[in-house]
Amino acid sequence: VDRRGRRNHLAACCCDCEELDDGCDRWLTCKSLPPGALERIGDTIADRLRVPWFSGAVKINVSLVPPLVLLPVCLHVAALHFLLGLIILTSLPVVVLWYYYLTHRRKERTLFFLSLGLFSLGYMYYVFLREVVPRGHVEHSQVVTLTCGLILMLAALSRAKKDPGYLPILAGNERPSLQGLHNKNIRESSSGLHGISGAASSRAVNGEAKGYCRMSAEQPAGVKKDWCTKCQLLRPARAGHCRLCGRCVRRLDHHCVWINSCVGEQNHQAFILALSFFMLTSVYGIILTLHTICRGRSLFVALFYCPGAYSDYSSALSFTCVWYCAIVTASMGYILLIQLLNISYNVTEREARLALRDNTGRRLLGGLVIDTGQYNRGLLCNWGHFLSLGSCPPQRSAEDIV
C-alpha cells in the first residue's frame, strides 16, 4: 500500500503500465485474463525493455535476447552427458523451425535468426580460442586463416544486408493510376510511339505492344502482371513484392530470415558469397577441432565416434559445439546448393514457387530445381547473367531503339 492508500505490487516498480498492472492483479487473485490481454502485456514489456545510452534509452528488440541466453545454456548442458547432447541438439532445430513457421504464418519480421546466426559465429569462435587452441595442436597460421575467413564472411554479410534493389516508392500525388496508365498506353500506341511501321502500330492497337509493362490495349486486366497494388507502381520483369518488407524488389529471389532482408538484384551476389565463406570457414573450424580432440582418427569417423570426447568437460563442450556447427553447416549447405542450382538454370526461388503453384515448371534433379524455361539460356550464359547483376545496363541510342 503506497502513501496514497493504493495497492501496488513489484511489477509497478518497473513501469506504470495499466495492462501489466491489471494482469498481475488478476494473476494474484486467480482471475482469468480478458481476450488479447497477454498480447498487450507482451507489447508493453517489449516497449519498456530499454537500456540507458548517451542519447537516451535505447529500445531492445525482444527477439534478440533468446539466442544470447539459450544458446550458451543449451550447449553447456548438452556437454554434461552424451544423452543430454543428443536430446538438446535434436530439439534445437525443431524449435527453430517452429519459430520460423510461427513468424512466417503471422508475416512478421524478426531479428531472432540474425541474432542466432551472428551469436553462434561469435560463440563458436570464442570456444575455439578458449578450449581448442590452448591444447597446442593448432598452429598460429591456422588460427589466422580461420579468423580471415570469419572476417570475409562478415564483410559479405554486411554487403548482403544493404539495399537488395528496392523499387522507389513515388509520392502520393506522383503515383499513376491503373486506368491512367492504360489510357496512356492506348494514346502512345495510336500515335505510333511503340513502332514506326504500320504493322507495328496495328500490333500495338491489337494489344501486342511490348513496352515497359507489357500492357494490352484491349485487355486492361493484363496490366496486373506488372502492376503492384500494394506499392502502386509498375514493376519491371522478374521484380516482386515482399510481404514482409512491404516493398517491391528487382529480381526478387526470396526473403531470407537469416539476414532479415530480401535477396534481390543488388545483393544476391553478396548473399552467395557470404554463404560460401561461411561453409569454408565452418568446415575448416570443424576439421581443426576434431583433429585436436580426436587425434589419429579420420574426420568422418571422429564426428561419429570419438571415445575420449566426454573424458573432460572442455573436450565435451568442444565436441558438442562441433556437432552444433555440423547441423548448421548442413542446413546452410543445402540452401547454398539450391541457390547454385537455381543460378545455373537462371530461375529465382520466387519464380520456382509460382511455377509450382501454376504447374508450369519442370522438376529437375529429383525436384531440387524447378526449370521454368523462361530465362534459361544455358549454363555459361546463366552464370554470366548472374555475375553481371547490379551493374548498370548499357545505354542504347535512339537509332538502336528504332
Side-chain angles (χ1 to χ4, degrees):
V1 180
D2 61 13
R3 66 179 66 181
R4 299 183 182 86
R6 297 169 52 190
R7 286 192 310 122
N8 281 284
H9 42 74
L10 292 177
C13 299
C14 301
C15 62
D16 188 13
C17 315
E18 294 184 3
E19 292 290 346
L20 182 61
D21 183 83
D22 181 66
C24 292
D25 189 61
R26 285 175 173 269
W27 177 69
L28 291 174
T29 55
C30 299
K31 295 180 181 178
S32 60
L33 295 175
L38 286 178
E39 287 78 5
R40 292 192 295 270
I41 292 174
D43 294 338
T44 301
I45 295 176
D47 181 70
R48 299 298 191 271
L49 189 60
R50 300 171 184 265
V51 294
W53 199 247
F54 299 102
S55 58
V58 179
K59 183 179 178 181
I60 300 177
N61 195 309
V62 181
S63 59
L64 289 172
V65 179
L68 306 182
V69 178
L70 295 179
L71 183 62
V73 172
C74 291
L75 291 179
H76 279 275
V77 172
L80 295 175
H81 194 270
F82 170 75
L83 292 179
L84 287 175
L86 183 63
I87 294 173
I88 291 178
L89 292 178
T90 306
S91 303
L92 277 178
V94 176
V95 173
V96 172
L97 289 175
W98 170 80
Y99 188 73
Y100 169 76
Y101 171 76
L102 186 65
T103 54
H104 185 74
R105 186 181 62 180
R106 294 181 178 179
K107 301 178 182 180
E108 296 178 353
R109 296 188 66 179
T110 176
L111 294 175
F112 174 84
F113 300 97
L114 179 61
S115 174
L116 178 62
L118 292 178
F119 186 67
S120 297
L121 286 173
Y123 193 71
M124 295 303 106
Y125 186 68
Y126 167 77
V127 171
F128 178 78
L129 294 180
R130 181 181 176 85
E131 306 294 344
V132 180
V133 175
R135 294 175 179 265
H137 301 294
V138 180
E139 299 178 359
H140 294 291
S141 58
Q142 294 174 329
V143 177
V144 172
T145 302
L146 187 69
T147 305
C148 290
L150 185 62
I151 294 175
L152 290 174
M153 193 278 297
L154 291 176
L157 181 63
S158 175
R159 174 62 186 86
K161 281 285 296 175
K162 294 183 179 179
D163 181 15
Y166 292 121
L167 291 175
I169 298 180
L170 302 177
N173 55 353
E174 296 178 357
R175 291 184 179 180
S177 64
L178 186 63
Q179 186 64 31
L181 287 168
H182 172 56
N183 296 335
K184 180 181 178 182
N185 185 68
I186 296 178
R187 291 196 302 268
E188 290 179 351
S189 301
S190 62
S191 62
L193 293 179
H194 288 288
I196 301 300
S197 63
S201 299
S202 63
R203 286 196 303 269
V205 174
N206 292 330
E208 298 291 337
K210 295 182 179 180
Y212 170 72
C213 58
R214 302 194 303 275
M215 291 186 297
S216 171
E218 303 217 350
Q219 295 179 354
V223 180
K224 294 181 181 179
K225 295 180 180 179
D226 298 291
W227 175 261
C228 179
T229 58
K230 301 290 185 179
C231 299
Q232 295 293 301
L233 53 81
L234 287 171
R235 299 181 301 213
R238 310 190 77 176
H241 183 85
C242 177
R243 61 178 186 176
L244 297 179
C245 297
R247 297 282 300 275
C248 285
V249 182
R250 295 182 182 274
R251 197 184 178 276
L252 175 63
D253 190 84
H254 69 288
H255 182 93
C256 181
V257 296
W258 294 104
I259 64 174
N260 194 34
S261 178
C262 290
V263 177
E265 183 178 270
Q266 298 293 331
N267 66 341
H268 201 170
Q269 296 173 353
F271 178 72
I272 296 297
L273 199 60
L275 281 177
S276 302
F277 278 128
F278 171 79
M279 290 293 298
L280 295 174
T281 305
S282 180
V283 171
Y284 188 62
I286 290 174
I287 293 174
L288 293 178
T289 305
L290 287 179
H291 283 173
T292 301
I293 299 174
C294 306
R295 298 190 60 81
R297 299 181 181 275
S298 62
L299 177 64
F300 185 78
V301 173
L303 186 61
F304 291 95
Y305 181 69
C306 186
Y310 286 88
S311 59
D312 59 279
Y313 188 76
S314 176
S315 300
L317 180 61
S318 302
F319 189 72
T320 303
C321 291
V322 163
W323 259 106
Y324 176 75
C325 288
I327 294 173
V328 176
T329 303
S331 304
M332 295 301 169
Y334 176 78
I335 296 175
L336 179 60
L337 175 63
I338 297 299
Q339 286 289 317
L340 295 179
L341 290 176
N342 286 343
I343 294 171
S344 300
Y345 286 90
N346 199 2
V347 62
T348 63
E349 283 197 23
R350 174 177 174 270
E351 292 167 349
R353 185 171 61 252
L354 294 177
L356 281 178
R357 185 193 66 184
D358 301 334
N359 198 21
T360 58
R362 296 185 303 149
R363 290 179 176 269
L364 301 175
L365 302 178
L368 290 177
V369 63
I370 307 298
D371 182 20
T372 60
Q374 188 175 4
Y375 301 101
N376 188 3
R377 299 296 181 269
L379 180 65
L380 295 180
C381 292
N382 293 339
W383 273 96
H385 171 74
F386 173 76
L387 295 177
S388 63
L389 287 179
S391 59
C392 297
Q395 298 292 334
R396 294 188 297 175
S397 61
E399 291 80 2
D400 294 334
I401 298 176
V402 173

